[in-house]
Amino acid sequence: MTIARGKTIAVIGAGLIGVTLARRLQRDGCRVVLFDPDQPGMGCSFGNAGYVATDEILPLSHGISFSEVLKMLPDPLAPLTIRWRQIFSLIPWFLKFLAASRPKQAAKSAAALAALQKGSLAAWNKLIREEGLSQMVRRNGAMLVFESEAGFARESVKFPFLDQHNVKYEVLTGGQAREMIPELGPKVTNAIFYPRGFHVRDPLAVTRKIFDHFITAGGEYSAEKVTSFDHRGGLLKGLVTGQGRRQADAAVLCAGHQSGELMRLIGIKAPLVAERGYHVVVDHKPLSFDMCLGSHERGFFITPMEDGLRLAGTVEFSPAGKELPANWKRADILAHHLEELMPGVAGAETSRWMGCRPTLPDFLPALGPAPGLENLYLSFGHQHLGLTLAPVCAEILSDLIAEGKTALDISPFDIKRFQ
Ligand SMILES: Cc1cc2nc3c(=O)[nH]c(=O)nc-3n(C[C@H](O)[C@H](O)[C@H](O)COP(=O)(O)OP(=O)(O)OC[C@H]3O[C@@H](n4cnc5c(N)ncnc54)[C@H](O)[C@@H]3O)c2cc1C
């Protein structure tokens, strides 16, 4: 179905995914109303590591076996763990994850993510140009460091796939990594440098700037929670919020880890999990580097940001859509990790945060039309890559809504894969 330019599109959720899409649709000639009971950018999009990882073409589930996951889960402070009290509600997700990790299925997911990422650097460049974001990004590459030859050897299995997709990367010894970043301590044995990687110095400021442009150009923001859909005969007629019915010619669901709730109301299963991540921001000594740096073994990133050094990452599997208390011990450990990798760099902690990555079992987003409702579209489940994928997903959906087609085959992202 195509929605004529000038029609009203409702975007549900004002995270980076929803805000970027709202602005794209507006630029492409639609009237857009953005719904979110919270201030824009305050969900998961607030606290990420700021890494625009357009060369990350393998889903995170790739290269980690189910048995490795099982080994880590019992340790509440491991890079990857689970909220054990919720184990029973998480079992169905893990069973689907297991199915998606089988070699044939995993290869399909990898090809799909690589195809989606192919357009993501160009989409980011366009967004930076159009929204005037160049002062907010640092284009100095990104580095992944290793503390064991074994860890590096496991990662290097990915190289043929990266080569096949023209990803640019440089393999470094520990010494070469220290020459580039003298703050790195002796524990680093190997590194991979991604010259095209870049980072944003304040993820919230990026979302807010795009949002401000959206409002200035006539976009509408409604601080309401969407509670259900008004639909008849396979067509969406409007949205229902706590304050009544809102007319819309089409809608896009971008509610992050809370998207499953609304999907259930129209009889569609969206097996989302909340992969909870943490960040702490610390003061620091003057730095010789301004790039995002990831630790393979410790599962977190170190990113120089406007307000200090942000240490962000780790995974704690938890049910999606639920407010559960944070386990701040997982944030405490991040400062310890920094000290192990970069001794003496950190000063006092200035803030901490926990947020929920919206993740489907195959680590691919849901992108495209919703089954059964011709004019409802989906864009959620961007897991570890929502900042990176926001512009390319916005372009794809805007094309789909206005033209009824996209250049990319989006069938791998169809939510029907889980029905
Ligand atoms: C620790 C950590 C580090 C990360 N690092 C990176 C990184 O370096 N690079 C990268 O690319 N990605 C990273 N990510 C992932 C990225 O942050 C997420 O994929 C992304 O923020 C998801 O954006 P979103 O807009 O879908 O969700 P959100 O930002 O959570 O926004 C969803 C919005 O929907 C609203 N909403 C929910 N229900 C309703 C409703 N019924 N009606 C109206 N509104 C509703 C919510 O209030 C919320 O504002 C990281 C994530 C974490 C946790």
Side-chain angles (χ1 to χ4, degrees):
M1 175 170 194
T2 58
I3 311 292
R5 309 272 183 205
K7 293 284 184 185
T8 301
I9 317 281
V11 173
I12 305 165
L16 189 62
I17 297 294
V19 168
T20 311
L21 173 65
R23 181 70 172 135
R24 180 78 265 145
L25 288 166
Q26 181 187 53
R27 281 190 176 276
D28 290 348
C30 300
R31 184 176 166 260
V32 184
V33 187
L34 187 54
F35 288 86
D36 199 317
D38 291 338
Q39 288 293 304
M42 294 307 286
C44 189
S45 303
F46 174 87
N48 58 56
Y51 177 23
V52 181
T54 58
D55 281 330
E56 188 68 63
I57 57 169
L58 279 157
L60 253 131
S61 50
H62 210 90
I64 179 159
S65 68
F66 194 65
S67 58
E68 279 174 300
V69 173
L70 282 183
K71 254 187 245 160
M72 270 192 261
L73 292 182
D75 177 356
L77 298 182
L80 207 145
T81 189
I82 194 169
R83 278 193 63 99
W84 282 102
R85 267 182 245 161
Q86 269 72 44
I87 179 71
F88 290 112
S89 57
L90 293 171
I91 286 172
W93 187 91
F94 272 101
L95 291 176
K96 289 191 170 67
F97 167 69
L98 189 59
S101 308
R102 289 200 189 105
K104 203 169 151 200
Q105 205 47 47
K108 272 191 188 167
S109 304
L113 183 61
L116 182 61
Q117 284 277 39
K118 208 168 177 186
S120 81
L121 182 57
W124 251 101
N125 286 338
K126 186 172 168 188
L127 183 77
I128 290 170
R129 221 175 32 249
E130 286 182 342
E131 304 302 328
L133 305 177
S134 59
Q135 299 301 315
M136 295 177 154
V137 301
R138 291 294 182 276
R139 290 182 176 275
N140 298 322
M143 193 187 279
L144 181 64
V145 301
F146 299 82
E147 293 168 72
S148 68
E149 293 291 345
F152 176 70
R154 268 207 308 277
E155 187 75 4
S156 58
V157 171
K158 295 177 181 174
F159 291 162
F161 189 71
L162 303 189
D163 295 337
Q164 189 193 332
H165 290 277
N166 299 318
V167 169
K168 288 200 179 0
Y169 61 92
E170 293 162 26
V171 172
L172 307 175
T173 61
Q176 287 166 329
R178 276 181 287 279
E179 267 171 39
M180 276 180 87
I181 301 185
E183 287 87 345
L184 283 172
K187 290 205 164 171
V188 173
T189 56
N190 310 75
I192 304 173
F193 177 63
Y194 293 93
R196 288 194 298 219
F198 63 95
H199 74 277
V200 304
R201 298 260 315 174
D202 184 343
L204 178 63
V206 168
T207 310
R208 288 279 165 89
K209 187 158 185 178
I210 302 168
F211 174 76
D212 289 347
H213 291 169
F214 167 73
I215 296 295
T216 309
E220 257 179 73
Y221 166 60
S222 183
E224 294 170 62
K225 178 174 174 162
V226 175
T227 52
S228 67
F229 300 111
D230 174 12
H231 60 98
R232 264 159 285 154
L235 270 185
L236 181 91
K237 304 284 180 186
L239 305 178
V240 181
T241 75
Q243 289 159 48
R245 187 189 172 280
R246 303 282 177 256
Q247 190 275 330
D249 297 300
V252 191
L253 179 58
C254 311
H257 78 107
Q258 290 160 298
S259 302
E261 228 173 278
L262 284 169
M263 295 296 286
R264 264 194 301 279
L265 294 178
I266 50 170
I268 299 164
K269 282 187 206 134
L272 281 161
V273 78
E275 275 191 274
R276 304 197 324 166
Y278 292 78
H279 87 218
V280 299
V281 179
V282 296
D283 286 335
H284 54 84
K285 291 191 174 153
L287 300 174
S288 70
F289 68 98
D290 194 357
M291 73 169 79
C292 182
L293 208 125
S295 159
H296 174 79
E297 282 86 358
R298 297 172 192 273
F300 84 117
F301 288 92
I302 302 166
T303 315
M305 293 218 176
E306 291 303 335
D307 56 349
L309 208 49
R310 184 177 285 189
L311 319 175
T314 79
V315 168
E316 187 187 25
F317 290 103
S318 194
K322 287 204 173 138
E323 300 280 338
L324 295 168
N327 173 5
W328 290 116
K329 286 188 187 147
R330 293 190 64 75
D332 295 340
I333 199 140
L334 293 170
H336 163 78
H337 286 327
L338 176 67
E339 187 56 28
E340 293 283 299
L341 283 176
M342 291 187 167
V345 162
E349 180 183 318
T350 54
S351 65
R352 53 177 47 197
W353 169 89
M354 186 274 289
C356 298
R357 300 177 189 92
T359 303
L360 290 160
D362 55 3
F363 284 73
L364 295 179
L367 192 65
L373 277 184
E374 277 187 46
N375 50 346
L376 175 66
Y377 300 85
L378 312 175
S379 187
F380 61 79
H382 296 82
Q383 32 86 23
H384 296 242
L385 290 171
L387 171 71
T388 306
L389 295 173
V392 73
C393 290
E395 288 188 3
I396 288 169
L397 277 173
S398 186
D399 287 349
L400 189 66
I401 291 171
E403 324 266 336
K405 58 181 184 332
T406 65
L408 179 76
D409 169 20
I410 54 167
S411 59
F413 311 109
D414 191 333
I415 195 68
K416 283 206 291 271
R417 66 195 190 273
F418 299 114
Q419 303 311 299

